[in-house]
Amino acid sequence: MKTPIVSFLKSYQEKSPVRMHMPGHKGAGILGFEGMDLTEISGADELFAAEGIIKESEQNASTLFGCPTYYSTQGSTLCIQTMCTILCQDAKSKGKKPRILAGRNAHRSFIHAAALLDFDIEWLYGNSDYLSCKINAKDLEKEIVGNNPTAVYLTNPDYLGNLLDIKSLASVCKNHNVLLAIDNAHGAYLRFLEQSLHPIDLGADLCCDSAHKTLPVLTGGAYLHLSDSLNQVWKNDVKHFMEYFSSTSPSYLIMASLDAANDVLDHTFRNSLSECVRSVDLLKNTLVQHGYTILSGEPMKITISTKEFGYTGNEIANLLMECDIYPEFYDSDYIVLMPSPYNTKEDFNRLEKCLCGIERKSVVFNSFPKLEHAKKAMNVRQALFAPSMKVDVSKSLGQICSSITVSCPPAILPVIPGEVISASAIEVMKYYGIETVRVVKE
């Protein structure tokens, strides 16, 4: 598959041109990696008005994903903001006020989008674990009937690797003429499994992928995908909506990595992924035999519920880091490891040796506190832009949360701006080490 962005950048660099344009480093190599870092000069196309090499590259990506695909150099955050804009505009085009039914484990970027676009949110809780929202088709249908939303927004896979039955959930949404948007930031690779589990293939109307999380792409590279039917309505507006939130200086290095990845995805990635899935399965089985509890879910995450083995996730993480192995995420209950086809056999051997070298201890019985359904005092926009002050979490009972309060990663909020802080919310914040919270000034 052609890589037109990479080809242009290499060709430009090889000419040893006089660069009377941005960036200021002029490709001089003072830092060592500047040669292919350009701005939107003649021939380089424009990300949000693509007619040349970027358009060709995005069309290549669209072929690979089987749906209209657009690039982001600002991660899934920009894609989420754009998805929410499309959901709002679609509702307004039908004479409705935007009202989104969303999984409670939404990423903070969704909350910021709600503040900027001023749409209403009704929350789906699914269960008491605030990191997940295990909603099924029957429960979703009940919530749609009860809340009459214009769209549904879910995270799949979630940070712990849980997978929802997107096909059934999409069917429910279609039956009620409600759009389904999926934050698939952790699941770009799902398209390239032997049987695709990508949300668009399973019936979602739109979704985002953080390419850099699971594919060989530089940090910040991401995709926005639309179904064919939705794209027919909004294809002339997608890039316009993306411009609302984006930098006017998109990174050509990130775009080049998205472009180069197309060739990898077209030729070698499926086989590499299949081999990696087998390696991950073998490692999971070995860890289970050693006594670890592994959460079921997506094939490329290893999520260990550590307390059954006698440790907190933090303790296991520290033991791994002593072996120079660095996990994606850990907290009191879990440790999340994210391998990819570009981890070596030696990487897997070192991980297995370190984890299996840890002695099992008595079960740790304390568990995360239950997050109760919150009372909303104002919407997200009102709360985020209200005068506020910082207080100790222990002194916040009954006050209205006014900002993003999160233990990051994974950027999921135990209390949402505009909600009254309850005793259970305080418990959850303390459990995750959140010591202060911003509240609306009275």
Side-chain angles (χ1 to χ4, degrees):
M1 180 172 280
K2 292 182 178 179
T3 55
I5 298 174
V6 173
S7 296
F8 176 85
L9 296 178
K10 285 183 176 179
S11 174
Y12 186 76
Q13 185 178 8
E14 287 167 0
K15 290 189 294 187
S16 299
V18 177
R19 302 189 186 210
M20 290 297 170
H21 57 75
M22 298 182 287
H25 56 64
K26 306 301 180 186
I30 293 172
L31 303 176
F33 49 78
E34 301 91 338
M36 293 173 66
D37 181 33
L38 292 184
T39 187
E40 294 168 323
I41 60 171
S42 177
D45 209 359
E46 295 182 34
L47 179 56
F48 300 119
E51 294 295 338
I53 59 174
I54 296 173
K55 182 177 181 179
E56 182 183 350
S57 185
E58 288 183 324
Q59 288 173 339
N60 289 340
S62 298
T63 299
L64 290 165
F65 282 93
C67 64
T69 296
Y70 302 91
Y71 288 165
S72 164
T73 62
Q74 293 170 235
S76 280
T77 294
L78 174 58
C79 300
I80 287 169
Q81 292 163 334
T82 307
M83 286 200 300
C84 290
T85 305
I86 293 172
L87 297 180
C88 289
Q89 294 297 323
D90 193 80
K92 291 173 183 176
S93 73
K94 297 170 182 174
K96 299 178 180 179
K97 183 179 180 181
R99 183 180 176 86
I100 299 179
L101 188 62
R104 181 71 184 199
N105 62 333
H107 190 273
R108 63 190 298 174
S109 54
F110 175 74
I111 308 301
H112 285 145
L116 294 170
L117 296 166
D118 199 18
F119 57 79
D120 291 333
I121 307 171
E122 294 296 330
W123 292 109
L124 292 163
Y125 282 78
N127 58 20
S128 59
D129 182 351
Y130 101 104
L131 296 179
S132 300
C133 182
K134 298 175 184 176
I135 190 79
N136 58 43
K138 182 179 178 181
D139 290 338
L140 179 61
E141 183 153 36
K142 182 180 177 182
E143 293 289 345
I144 289 175
V145 170
N147 288 286
N148 193 30
T150 56
V152 172
Y153 177 97
L154 299 170
T155 301
N156 180 82
D158 64 27
Y159 219 95
L160 299 181
N162 296 301
L163 288 168
L164 301 173
D165 184 356
I166 297 297
K167 190 172 184 179
S168 296
L169 297 170
S171 179
V172 169
C173 289
K174 283 179 171 55
N175 288 342
H176 290 273
N177 196 28
V178 173
L179 291 178
L180 175 62
I182 302 293
D183 175 356
N184 185 54
H186 284 241
Y189 78 95
L190 296 174
R191 165 70 179 173
F192 303 97
L193 294 171
E194 292 180 9
Q195 182 175 348
S196 173
L197 293 177
H198 196 266
I200 297 292
D201 291 330
L202 298 177
D205 295 291
L206 61 172
C207 82
C208 64
D209 302 344
S210 287
H212 67 92
K213 284 182 167 64
T214 60
L215 303 181
V217 171
L218 294 181
T219 298
Y223 309 111
L224 172 63
H225 307 287
L226 273 65
S227 66
D228 286 322
S229 58
L230 191 65
N231 194 61
Q232 286 303 310
V233 179
W234 295 108
K235 63 182 177 181
N236 294 325
D237 299 291
V238 173
K239 291 294 185 86
H240 176 58
F241 294 155
M242 293 183 91
E243 280 190 292
Y244 291 179
F245 311 99
S246 66
S247 168
T248 55
S249 301
S251 166
Y252 269 80
L253 294 177
I254 295 173
M255 276 193 281
S257 74
L258 287 165
D259 185 50
N262 287 337
D263 190 54
V264 175
L265 296 175
D266 190 38
H267 288 102
T268 62
F269 187 74
R270 289 181 186 273
N271 287 337
S272 299
L273 180 61
S274 294
E275 292 176 9
C276 189
V277 168
R278 287 192 288 272
S279 296
V280 172
D281 283 341
L282 287 171
L283 178 55
K284 285 180 178 179
N285 289 334
T286 299
L287 295 177
V288 169
Q289 292 170 11
H290 189 69
Y292 286 106
T293 300
I294 308 294
L295 272 61
S296 61
E298 57 166 306
M300 293 297 287
K301 266 200 181 88
I302 304 171
T303 303
I304 304 173
S305 181
T306 59
K307 288 181 177 175
E308 293 90 335
F309 198 71
Y311 299 80
T312 65
N314 309 67
E315 290 170 335
I316 295 289
N318 287 331
L319 291 171
L320 283 175
M321 287 186 282
E322 287 178 7
C323 299
D324 283 330
I325 299 170
Y326 295 87
E328 166 63 23
F329 167 72
Y330 53 91
D331 65 11
S332 183
D333 299 280
Y334 305 107
I335 185 165
V336 177
L337 306 163
M338 286 182 66
S340 90
Y342 304 100
N343 282 113
T344 65
K345 183 177 180 181
E346 174 62 22
D347 289 343
F348 283 103
N349 289 338
R350 285 177 60 187
L351 178 58
E352 178 182 326
K353 181 179 180 181
C354 186
L355 284 172
C356 291
I358 299 171
E359 182 182 356
R360 188 173 185 175
K361 299 194 298 187
S362 299
V363 174
V364 178
F365 285 103
N366 71 307
S367 59
F368 54 80
K370 182 179 179 181
L371 181 63
E372 297 174 356
H373 292 209
K375 177 184 175 183
K376 185 166 70 173
M378 58 180 67
N379 69 23
V380 171
R381 182 181 177 85
Q382 290 169 329
L384 272 175
F385 290 105
S388 65
M389 60 183 182
K390 185 183 288 188
V391 300
D392 290 342
V393 163
S394 58
K395 298 178 181 178
S396 66
L397 181 64
Q399 299 192 67
I400 301 169
C401 178
S402 72
S403 69
I404 303 299
T405 300
V406 64
S407 176
C408 183
I412 299 166
L413 284 62
V415 59
I416 306 295
E419 292 180 347
V420 177
I421 298 172
S422 65
S424 77
I426 290 173
E427 257 193 284
V428 171
M429 285 190 283
K430 286 182 175 180
Y431 186 79
Y432 287 101
I434 299 169
E435 298 178 351
T436 62
V437 58
R438 296 200 72 89
V439 299
V440 174
K441 283 186 179 179
E442 296 182 358

